[in-house]
Amino acid sequence: MNQTVPTRDQAYELLTEFNKNEGLIKHALAVEAVMRYVAKKRGEDENKWGVIGLVHDLDYEKYPDQHCTKSEEILRERGWPEEYVRAVVSHGWGICSDAEPETDLEKVLYAVDELTGLVVTTALVRPSKSLMDLKAKSVKKKWKDKRFAAGVDRNIIEKGARMLGVEISELITDTIMGMREVADDLGLRGNIEQ
Ligand SMILES: [Fe+2]
Ligand SMILES: [Fe+2]
């Protein structure tokens, strides 16, 4: 089986082959952007990190009951390198997979997946409805309000941060900075001009 490195175009094509839901595609773009941002900051392979972020929930729309398992199957079938497949599967550690995040890439993916959701919800309740003026401090405040974005599992983010050995505030800032790069695609520029 050929194990060439998937390009961003190939990954996007695969994503949209399996996902039509706008919310899920936006989530994929958000996670991709954060993965790229953190990869760049750490001097890692931006394309690899980004592409893995983009397809991490590949199977979720069509096979929600087989989340992670189906992605693994599809990516293998399409000849994706093992490193990519493992990383995708490990984001669901303890939920839909028993692959514990091991590499920095996997740990970042694990932590920021949930965090992007909290950042979106926090941005949307602000007067600006924008990521562009959103500060980590505001997200931190909402963090403590367990009824706010109740679906976001704070424990997972905490666990991810601990695995990485980074402060939650730093992780939040990275997430905001990464998502700003695609604010227009996410519909989160709000009323803040360029
Ligand atoms: Fe997922
Ligand atoms: Fe996700």
Side-chain angles (χ1 to χ4, degrees), residues 40-90:
K40 197 172 182 179
K41 191 174 151 184
R42 292 170 168 256
E44 298 279 356
D45 183 339
E46 262 184 75
N47 189 66
K48 185 187 359 180
W49 286 52
V51 153
I52 289 169
L54 193 59
V55 302
H56 80 281
D57 278 334
L58 182 66
D59 60 5
Y60 194 69
E61 182 173 322
K62 286 198 171 173
Y63 311 98
D65 299 334
Q66 292 162 276
H67 187 35
C68 296
T69 315
K70 269 285 170 184
S71 294
E72 183 174 4
E73 201 179 296
I74 297 161
L75 294 175
R76 285 238 171 86
E77 242 170 50
R78 306 291 174 108
W80 278 47
E82 201 48 41
E83 184 191 359
Y84 287 60
V85 180
R86 195 201 188 269
V88 164
V89 171
S90 74

Side-chain angles (χ1 to χ4, degrees), residues 24 27-28 31 53 56-58 60 67 91 109 112-114 116:
L24 288 176
H27 171 64
V31 174
H56 80 281
D57 278 334
L58 182 66
Y60 194 69
H67 187 35
H91 91 270
L109 177 62
V112 303
D113 182 19
E114 289 288 306
T116 55

Side-chain angles (χ1 to χ4, degrees), residues 43 56 60 102 104 163:
H56 80 281
Y60 194 69
E102 283 170 358
D104 283 354
M163 287 192 290

Side-chain angles (χ1 to χ4, degrees), residues 118-187:
L118 189 61
V119 169
V120 169
T121 319
T122 309
L124 286 174
V125 296
R126 294 167 59 74
S128 65
K129 305 240 185 306
S130 180
L131 289 171
M132 308 318 278
D133 64 344
L134 178 64
K135 301 255 166 38
K137 198 174 63 194
S138 312
V139 179
K140 258 289 186 67
K141 218 181 275 170
K142 295 294 186 191
W143 176 285
K144 292 182 196 127
D145 180 354
K146 302 290 181 219
R147 283 164 309 171
F148 183 84
V152 173
D153 190 339
R154 275 81 162 161
N155 289 326
I156 288 187
I157 306 170
E158 271 165 9
K159 226 193 279 178
R162 231 179 295 130
M163 287 192 290
L164 283 164
V166 301
E167 294 293 325
I168 302 271
S169 308
E170 184 184 340
L171 212 52
I172 295 174
T173 303
D174 288 348
T175 302
I176 295 170
M177 294 306 286
M179 287 172 68
R180 277 186 192 169
E181 303 281 336
V182 291
D184 290 319
D185 295 328
L186 302 180

